Amino acid sequence: MSRKVLFLSNDHSVPFAKTTEFMASACERLGHQAVVRDTFPSRIQRSMLGDKSQELPMKRLAEHWSEFLEDLQIDTVLGLDLFWLFYPEPFFNSSCVKTIGSIWFDDFRSWITYPTNVWFSSSEMKFQSIIRHSKVWHVFYGASMAQEARLFGVDQQLSSRLAAPAEFLKQKFPCEITDKAVFIGNPGFRGAPHQDAIDLMKSGGDLVSLRMLSRDHILRAGDEAVQKWFRLEPQTRELLAVAMEVKAKNPFSPSLELLKIAGEIYPKAFAFANDHGILLDFTMLVKLVTRYDRPALVMRLYEKGLVDVYSNETEWAPYGVKAGKNINLGELPEYYQKYTVHLNGANPLRDATGNEKLFEIAASGRVSVNLRSPDVMSCYPEPEIVAGETLEELETKTCELLANPEEALRRGAMAKQRTAREHLWEHRLKDILKEI
């Protein structure tokens, strides 16, 4: 049955706008009607209309969206993260809208605390009642992300990997660089790295050592809010220390679940975090244990002249990495295909590792080098991708591919074939729309 799907986007964020447009195109190819609208103006307007004196403009904003939904007879609303949340009432009250889906790129805490997403207090509904509304479904691309949400009572959810746009399958650009790998992106964690971490990377430190160093820095020199929590409830330091140590050795375990396990040893500390509404903050601190995984791999190969980096130059400067230009959306397929080998690394702020770049590189017919994780390996088996558990192993495998570009291209072609069969946005949306 054909559906009328409204995709809500954010034109001020290129990655979100890009993926939303690709999803809408895929939806059309599945035979549904797709409409895309930017939410940024309404979100800003909504955030400015928070007090009772603004009831009339708030009413007009609600009426505008209600009329829009009814005029187009929209039955399904989809958005990355919570881009439909700027004014939930029109979507909940609409007689034609049956389903609202959040396809999560981010985690709850990061999204809620983003500067332009702070309008919850102006809604009559509470956040928990909004995200657990009967119309709302949550779609997670990582098992750990899904588990984290489930622990917070978000039960109406689906698991669905991210994907590649079918448009990438048709792109044909020459392969020009075979003696270097490439990494396109930022370091993941955008805070300033500690000099001890830089020194450890330069001396060849392994990932577990870097994670334990990150753990120690958080516990010893956390920001003022963290130190305040430690003073109010001293056991919170021990709670975090236990969860972080396990995370350092088991990086793909759900961070909130690790806190719950540690809470069995330190129940007073876990109750403190829960009662003070800072459990998500604690979860983020546990995730930050792996903040140096991505830059450690890039920096290791960069110092040996084995990788080119494209990103905002200032973000990589603290690591001693001179990055090339930012690659805009239109140039991505060209730069994906320009190199035979890509480094890929998950963002440490999310408990999920099957990122969008994994699929886009494969759709471009190129092989990616990844830390071995359940999320990644469930999408592409070796030899379609390269996976390893240590920096030394990943370096060795990268060098082997660079020494044999024909083999690298053969693996990339295999990954492209699997992507065409299993990992396009058409595959994801077909399954999502069938379930919600």
Side-chain angles (χ1 to χ4, degrees), residues 206-225:
D206 61 32
L207 289 174
V208 174
S209 297
L210 279 165
R211 293 167 190 159
M212 291 300 290
L213 182 69
S214 179
R215 163 191 178 266
D216 292 344
H217 286 155
I218 294 170
L219 294 175
R220 289 202 316 265
D223 61 29
E224 179 52 36

Side-chain angles (χ1 to χ4, degrees), residues 161-263:
R161 304 178 182 101
L162 299 181
E167 290 84 345
F168 276 31
L169 298 173
K170 304 173 185 177
Q171 300 290 344
K172 293 184 179 181
F173 292 95
C175 179
E176 299 175 0
I177 300 177
T178 61
D179 61 344
K180 281 187 177 183
V182 65
F183 180 80
I184 302 173
N186 58 60
F189 170 68
R190 286 172 149 158
H194 197 285
Q195 186 58 47
D196 290 349
I198 299 295
D199 294 342
L200 185 54
M201 290 181 209
K202 288 184 176 180
S203 66
D206 61 32
L207 289 174
V208 174
S209 297
L210 279 165
R211 293 167 190 159
M212 291 300 290
L213 182 69
S214 179
R215 163 191 178 266
D216 292 344
H217 286 155
I218 294 170
L219 294 175
R220 289 202 316 265
D223 61 29
E224 179 52 36
V226 176
Q227 296 303 318
K228 180 181 177 181
W229 298 332
F230 290 169
R231 290 192 297 270
L232 290 173
E233 174 47 66
Q235 277 196 0
T236 56
R237 187 190 297 271
E238 283 72 23
L239 175 80
L240 284 169
V242 169
M244 288 176 174
E245 184 168 357
V246 178
K247 185 73 170 179
K249 299 170 183 175
N250 301 275
F252 310 117
S253 299
S255 299
L256 182 56
E257 190 169 45
L258 296 181
L259 281 169
K260 284 193 68 178
I261 294 171

Side-chain angles (χ1 to χ4, degrees), residues 67-357:
E67 290 172 3
F68 176 80
L69 296 169
E70 298 300 325
D71 287 346
L72 294 183
Q73 286 295 291
I74 298 295
D75 55 65
T76 306
V77 176
L78 293 178
L80 297 175
D81 293 347
L82 293 169
F83 281 123
W84 52 270
L85 184 53
F86 57 91
Y87 211 145
E89 287 87 344
F91 300 101
F92 290 163
N93 296 336
S94 170
S95 59
C96 58
V97 173
K98 308 302 181 187
T99 303
I100 303 167
S102 280
I103 300 174
W104 281 89
F105 262 28
D106 229 323
D107 63 281
F108 282 138
R109 180 188 179 279
S110 295
W111 199 89
I112 293 167
T113 57
Y114 197 74
T116 58
N117 295 339
V118 287
W119 56 80
F120 301 116
S121 60
S122 63
S123 175
E124 295 179 1
M125 302 180 69
K126 299 300 182 183
F127 180 66
Q128 279 280 9
S129 63
I130 292 172
I131 65 171
R132 297 170 68 181
H133 191 278
S134 59
K135 284 188 179 183
V136 176
W137 283 82
H138 298 271
V139 183
F140 298 101
Y141 72 90
S144 293
M145 291 175 72
Q147 175 67 359
E148 179 178 295
R150 195 173 291 112
L151 289 170
F152 276 104
V154 178
D155 295 323
Q156 193 152 282
Q157 59 172 260
L158 297 173
S159 292
S160 177
R161 304 178 182 101
L162 299 181
E167 290 84 345
F168 276 31
L169 298 173
K170 304 173 185 177
Q171 300 290 344
K172 293 184 179 181
F173 292 95
C175 179
E176 299 175 0
I177 300 177
T178 61
D179 61 344
K180 281 187 177 183
V182 65
F183 180 80
I184 302 173
N186 58 60
F189 170 68
R190 286 172 149 158
H194 197 285
Q195 186 58 47
D196 290 349
I198 299 295
D199 294 342
L200 185 54
M201 290 181 209
K202 288 184 176 180
S203 66
D206 61 32
L207 289 174
V208 174
S209 297
L210 279 165
R211 293 167 190 159
M212 291 300 290
L213 182 69
S214 179
R215 163 191 178 266
D216 292 344
H217 286 155
I218 294 170
L219 294 175
R220 289 202 316 265
D223 61 29
E224 179 52 36
V226 176
Q227 296 303 318
K228 180 181 177 181
W229 298 332
F230 290 169
R231 290 192 297 270
L232 290 173
E233 174 47 66
Q235 277 196 0
T236 56
R237 187 190 297 271
E238 283 72 23
L239 175 80
L240 284 169
V242 169
M244 288 176 174
E245 184 168 357
V246 178
K247 185 73 170 179
K249 299 170 183 175
N250 301 275
F252 310 117
S253 299
S255 299
L256 182 56
E257 190 169 45
L258 296 181
L259 281 169
K260 284 193 68 178
I261 294 171
E264 295 176 6
I265 307 171
Y266 300 103
K268 191 176 177 183
F270 188 86
F272 171 85
N274 199 25
D275 294 344
H276 285 75
I278 55 175
L279 203 50
L280 279 178
D281 297 285
F282 275 35
T283 304
M284 182 57 66
L285 292 175
V286 176
K287 292 176 184 177
L288 286 178
V289 166
T290 64
R291 60 181 153 175
Y292 297 125
D293 284 15
R294 181 195 286 185
L297 174 60
V298 173
M299 186 174 165
R300 183 185 181 101
L301 297 187
Y302 178 84
E303 294 211 323
K304 297 180 180 181
L306 296 173
V307 65
D308 289 333
V309 178
Y310 293 93
S311 179
N312 185 322
E313 185 175 349
T314 60
E315 295 198 89
W316 281 102
Y319 296 92
V321 173
K322 184 172 177 55
K325 67 172 186 175
N326 271 318
I327 307 301
N328 64 44
L329 172 59
E331 295 176 308
L332 264 181
E334 176 185 353
Y335 276 81
Y336 279 148
Q337 295 186 330
K338 189 174 185 176
Y339 292 79
T340 53
V341 180
H342 286 258
L343 303 185
N344 187 33
N347 190 319
L349 304 186
R350 299 170 199 126
D351 272 340
T353 53
N355 57 5
E356 194 175 24
K357 194 182 299 181

Side-chain angles (χ1 to χ4, degrees), residues 5-52:
V5 185
L6 170 63
F7 287 88
L8 294 175
S9 184
N10 175 11
D11 287 355
H12 281 242
S13 172
V14 172
F16 285 95
K18 170 202 75 158
T19 299
T20 304
E21 293 286 351
F22 283 142
M23 287 195 299
S25 297
C27 190
E28 290 276 0
R29 287 192 289 270
L30 289 172
H32 305 292
Q33 297 180 46
V35 180
V36 181
R37 287 294 182 272
D38 176 28
T39 66
F40 191 79
S42 290
R43 289 190 293 123
I44 292 299
Q45 184 179 359
R46 175 63 165 156
S47 69
M48 297 170 63
L49 302 179
D51 59 73
K52 291 295 183 181

